[in-house]
């Protein structure tokens, strides 16, 4: 395949994140199975297992094909002309061994050596600062995205002629349609009076009378005192009343059920007897 030295920045960054994800998946699966077999042995040799797994990944990718697994997925590779044996050795040392040294220092040293721990901390902080500086340099030049690549002078190359990034608009169109639908729902739903619809649906389903007449306009007693017992339930929700209230018809509601219905539905009336809320409003039991 023909190589091309132009590689978009986004492809190089994608390759780095793919490398991390692939290594994490392989490592987690293997270590999880080994831990299930022998947890005690796993704890003792975990740094060596990490080193073995990272070494196997490196030899199966960079050592064998001059490209990481993430680069292979994006049809990229290191420039083989620059990847000499000495640079391969240095690449292995700079990418695989630091993690083992850090893990070894944390788990193997029974008595922490102060100068050794301080040296590791200083190296980590220095590498972090250099990585940040190198990232800004990469954004400007578009070459050598990692600090290791910069130190070894390694460039990414593309193994395909078409350098255009493949973009599919199917997902974007679906997201735009779904986003528009959600905006319509957000605009329409607050306008709909669900409590009134629920009341009407209950009356049509269970045949409840909805007369809408106020107690003052009815013949007979204008006010019926409710009686609260141990078996009393809310007329609206059917549960034990919370903060029992009524509207003069003798039926008891939860405060939240009754007040919410009265505030959202001016024509709300008792589902059992059809009495409308009096002008004096709801009252506590």
């Amino acid at each position: 395949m023909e190589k091309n030295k132009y590689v978009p920045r986004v492809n190089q960054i994608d390759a780095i994140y793919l490398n991390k994800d692939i290594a994490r998946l392989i490592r987690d699966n293997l270590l999880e199975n080994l831990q299930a077999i022998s947890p005690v042995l796993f704890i003792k040799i975990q740094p060596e297992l990490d080193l073995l797994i990272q070494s196997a990944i490196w030899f199966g990718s960079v050592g064998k094909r001059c490209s990481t697994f993430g680069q292979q997925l994006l049809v990229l590779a290191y420039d083989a002309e620059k990847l000499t044996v000495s640079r391969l050795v240095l690449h292995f040392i700079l990418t695989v061994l630091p993690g083992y040294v850090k893990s070894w220092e944390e788990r193997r040293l029974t008595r922490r050596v102060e100068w050794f721990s301080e040296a590791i901390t200083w190296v980590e902080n220095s590498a972090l600062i250099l990585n940040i500086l190198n990232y800004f340099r990469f954004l400007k030049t578009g070459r050598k995205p990692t600090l290791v690549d910069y130190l070894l002078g390694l460039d990414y190359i593309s193994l395909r002629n078409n350098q255009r990034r493949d973009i599919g608009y199917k997902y974007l169109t679906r997201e735009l349609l779904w986003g528009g639908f959600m905006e319509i729902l957000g605009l329409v739903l607050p306008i709909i009076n669900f409590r009134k619809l629920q009341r009407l649906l209950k009356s049509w389903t269970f045949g409840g009378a909805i007369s809408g007449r106020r107690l003052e306009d009815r013949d007979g007693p204008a006010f019926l005192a409710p009686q609260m017992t141990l078996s009393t339930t809310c007329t609206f929700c059917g549960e034990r009343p919370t903060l029992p209230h009524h509207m003069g018809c003798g039926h008891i509601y939860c405060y939240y059920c009754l007040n919410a219905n009265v505030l959202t539905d001016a024509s709300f009336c008792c589902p059992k007897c059809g009495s409308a809320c009096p002008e004096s409003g709801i009252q506590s039991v």
Side-chain angles (χ1 to χ4, degrees):
M1 290 183 292
E2 183 183 352
K3 69 178 183 180
N4 192 310
K5 293 187 177 182
Y6 170 76
V7 179
R9 294 174 176 82
V10 66
N11 285 2
Q12 299 182 55
I13 295 176
D14 286 347
I16 295 173
Y17 281 102
L18 285 173
N19 293 333
K20 295 179 180 179
D21 292 338
I22 293 172
R24 177 180 54 81
L25 289 174
I26 296 175
R27 177 184 178 277
D28 291 348
N29 289 330
L30 291 178
L31 294 182
E32 183 178 356
N33 294 329
L34 293 174
Q35 186 177 12
I37 295 174
S38 179
V40 178
L41 180 61
F42 170 79
I43 295 175
K44 292 182 179 180
I45 63 173
Q46 183 176 356
E48 285 71 23
L49 288 176
D50 287 336
L51 176 62
L52 180 62
I53 293 172
Q54 294 294 338
S55 300
I57 294 175
W58 187 90
F59 281 107
S61 57
V62 179
K64 184 178 180 180
R65 304 188 60 179
C66 297
S67 61
T68 63
F69 290 131
Q71 291 173 342
Q72 294 174 27
L73 291 175
L74 297 176
V75 200
L76 304 177
Y78 285 120
D79 191 350
E81 297 178 357
K82 296 182 178 181
L83 200 60
T84 60
V85 176
S86 59
R87 286 178 175 176
L88 278 174
V89 174
L90 290 175
H91 190 278
F92 176 82
I93 293 174
L94 294 176
T95 56
V96 177
L97 292 185
Y100 173 72
V101 174
K102 176 65 175 177
S103 180
W104 180 82
E105 186 269 338
E106 293 177 348
R107 294 175 176 268
R108 288 291 182 267
L109 291 181
T110 56
R111 186 180 64 182
R112 296 179 65 88
V113 181
E114 184 175 354
W115 68 268
F116 189 66
S117 300
E118 291 179 355
I120 291 180
T121 303
W122 183 86
V123 171
E124 287 181 337
N125 295 334
S126 301
L128 178 61
I129 296 174
L130 292 176
N131 270 311
I132 295 174
L133 295 176
N134 181 73
Y135 185 74
F136 285 111
R137 183 204 57 78
F138 162 72
L139 293 179
K140 180 180 179 180
T141 62
R143 316 270 304 209
K144 304 176 180 64
T146 66
L147 180 61
V148 175
D149 297 336
Y150 177 76
L151 294 176
L152 300 180
L154 300 178
D155 289 317
Y156 287 22
I157 61 173
S158 178
L159 302 179
R160 58 183 176 184
N161 295 325
N162 184 13
Q163 296 301 318
R164 297 183 59 187
R165 182 173 173 85
D166 297 331
I167 301 176
Y169 295 99
K170 184 177 181 180
Y171 174 79
L172 179 60
T173 303
R174 184 170 67 248
E175 286 298 311
L176 288 174
L177 291 175
W178 179 250
F181 177 68
M182 292 301 296
E183 290 182 0
I184 293 176
L185 288 182
L187 178 65
V188 173
L189 289 181
I191 303 176
I192 302 176
N193 193 336
F194 288 99
R195 292 189 177 274
K196 184 173 183 179
L197 293 178
Q198 184 180 8
R199 178 178 62 83
L200 294 175
L201 183 62
K202 280 186 176 181
S203 65
W204 294 338
T205 304
F206 301 104
I210 303 180
S211 62
R213 296 180 58 188
R214 297 186 181 275
L215 294 175
E216 295 85 346
D217 301 335
R218 292 188 170 199
D219 298 332
F223 180 84
L224 296 177
Q227 296 181 355
M228 186 78 175
T229 64
L230 295 176
S231 59
T232 300
T233 59
C234 173
T235 305
F236 187 79
C237 67
E239 301 293 335
R240 182 71 178 172
T242 302
L243 301 176
H245 277 66
H246 67 95
M247 56 182 185
C249 64
H251 299 115
I252 298 176
Y253 300 80
C254 299
Y255 169 77
Y256 300 104
C257 294
L258 182 57
N259 193 46
N261 279 289
V262 171
L263 290 177
T264 57
D265 184 6
S267 301
F268 175 75
C269 53
C270 180
K272 289 189 176 181
C273 64
S275 300
C277 183
E279 296 181 354
S280 57
I282 63 175
Q283 301 179 24
S284 176
V285 175

